[in-house]
């Protein structure tokens, strides 16, 4: 089998991200994380079809721009790898993607309630959380983004945002690196949970303004190393 082209550091980050997201309850047996190749920008890397908590470096597969494995790699990839490939195609600056079925995000994909930043950790949601409704693209569907046209439609729904909700399914977030995508997956879940709690109290809810969201997103980028180091240690032990 062909060796994957990415750096060892990036491969380690994808493995760590898979373990972290499982440990944090964002991914269970389902969901996945990927990174754009740091050596072949038209390609990306993610695990073969496997529960994220079990991912090791040996499970990583390199996929081409059409989300297909490189010649010679006969392993089974994730059905929904097109989510990743089509976002990388549409958003050249995106370096990592997480797709999850994160429970607290589900109500926001199924109702009229808009997921909005309720605190600074969810600030990246300021740019909007569009809802992808697969029915509008394909009436007869099983909710899964199982081909390129569905992936392209999802990427179109995401537009320039950081998070897209998927009706009856889950959500997908992007980042400028693996730690940022992981951070956003974790804090989308937390923000959604807090927003649901806030609706039970006397409203209206005071969300972050767009300007606060923009500034806070930039500030959080500067401290990303701190939670990343902590989460890695919790998920992988001493390294
Ligand atoms: Zn899914």
């Amino acid at each position: 089998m062909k060796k994957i082209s990415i750096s060892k550091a990036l491969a380690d980050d994808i493995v760590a991200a898979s373990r972290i997201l499982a440990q944090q309850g964002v991914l269970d047996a389902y969901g996945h994380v990927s990174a754009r190749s740091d050596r072949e920008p038209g390609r990306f890397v993610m695990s073969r079809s496997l529960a994220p908590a079990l991912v090791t470096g040996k499970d990583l597969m390199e996929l081409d721009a059409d989300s297909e494995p490189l010649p010679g790699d006969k392993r089974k990839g994730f059905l929904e790898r097109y989510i990743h490939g089509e976002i990388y195609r549409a958003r050249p600056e995106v370096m990592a993607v997480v797709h999850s079925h994160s429970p607290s995000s589900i109500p926001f994909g199924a109702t009229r309630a808009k997921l909005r930043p309720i605190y600074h950790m969810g600030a990246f949601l300021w740019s909007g959380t569009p809802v992808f409704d697969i029915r509008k693209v394909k009436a007869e569907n099983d909710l899964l983004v199982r081909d390129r046209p569905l992936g392209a439609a999802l990427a179109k729904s995401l537009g320039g945002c950081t998070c897209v909700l998927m009706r009856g399914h889950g959500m997908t977030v992007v980042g400028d690196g693996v730690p940022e995508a992981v951070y956003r997956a974790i804090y989308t879940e937390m923000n959604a949970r807090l927003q649901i709690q806030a609706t039970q109290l006397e409203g209206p809810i005071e969300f972050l303004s767009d300007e606060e969201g923009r500034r806070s997103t930039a500030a959080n980028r500067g401290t990303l190393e701190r939670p990343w180091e902590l989460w890695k240690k919790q998920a992988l032990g001493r390294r």
Side-chain angles (χ1 to χ4, degrees):
M1 193 191 313
K2 253 184 141 177
K3 250 183 120 159
I4 55 171
S5 72
I6 59 172
S7 66
K8 168 89 167 57
L10 185 58
D12 287 348
D13 277 358
I14 300 170
V15 172
S18 305
R19 305 290 188 98
I20 289 167
L21 290 166
Q23 202 203 26
Q24 296 285 324
V26 173
L27 303 183
D28 47 20
Y30 297 95
H32 20 82
V33 51
S34 72
R36 188 189 290 279
S37 168
D38 50 359
R39 295 190 178 142
E40 296 276 353
R43 298 182 191 163
F44 64 101
V45 172
M46 66 194 302
S47 165
R48 68 185 172 91
S49 180
L50 185 69
L54 306 178
V55 170
T56 68
K58 290 190 180 111
D59 298 307
L60 300 184
M61 297 175 74
E62 187 159 354
L63 303 165
D64 67 18
D66 295 336
S67 309
E68 299 305 339
L70 296 190
D73 191 348
K74 301 280 181 236
R75 294 175 296 173
K76 187 174 169 228
F78 286 109
L79 271 178
E80 294 197 288
R81 58 190 184 275
Y82 304 97
I83 292 172
H84 303 254
E86 294 307 310
I87 289 175
Y88 289 125
R89 190 195 306 280
R91 294 274 298 271
E93 86 289 7
V94 166
M95 298 305 286
V97 174
V98 175
H99 166 61
S100 86
H101 307 152
S102 162
S104 304
S105 71
I106 303 298
F108 293 95
T111 63
R112 287 184 179 186
K114 287 250 171 287
L115 179 63
R116 295 178 61 189
I118 196 164
Y119 72 153
H120 67 132
M121 304 306 281
F124 59 92
L125 299 170
W126 77 269
S127 60
T129 50
V131 176
F132 172 68
D133 189 348
I134 195 166
R135 242 178 342 205
K136 291 182 180 159
V137 186
K138 198 173 175 187
E140 286 173 21
N141 69 81
D142 59 5
L143 281 310
L144 299 179
V145 179
R146 51 169 65 249
D147 59 33
R148 272 187 57 198
L150 288 172
L154 177 75
K156 195 170 170 213
S157 290
L158 171 69
C161 297
T162 54
C163 172
V164 59
L165 302 171
M166 301 156 79
R167 181 194 58 83
H169 181 170
M171 64 99 185
T172 298
V173 290
V174 300
D176 68 358
V178 173
E180 187 171 73
V182 167
Y183 169 98
R184 287 177 174 175
I186 290 171
Y187 283 107
T188 296
E189 169 62 25
M190 287 207 205
N191 193 99
R193 199 185 311 153
L194 292 168
Q195 188 174 335
I196 293 167
Q197 286 172 4
T199 60
Q200 291 155 21
L201 305 175
E202 187 178 333
I205 301 173
E206 296 290 346
F207 293 102
L208 268 61
S209 69
D210 287 356
E211 189 54 29
E212 285 174 330
R214 197 177 295 122
R215 285 170 183 263
S216 186
T217 299
N220 290 342
R221 274 195 164 148
T223 58
L224 206 50
E225 266 306 298
R226 196 190 319 162
W228 179 244
E229 288 305 314
L230 172 67
W231 291 330
K232 262 205 302 202
K233 197 162 178 184
Q234 288 172 333
L236 304 172
R238 199 173 287 276
R239 292 201 126 195

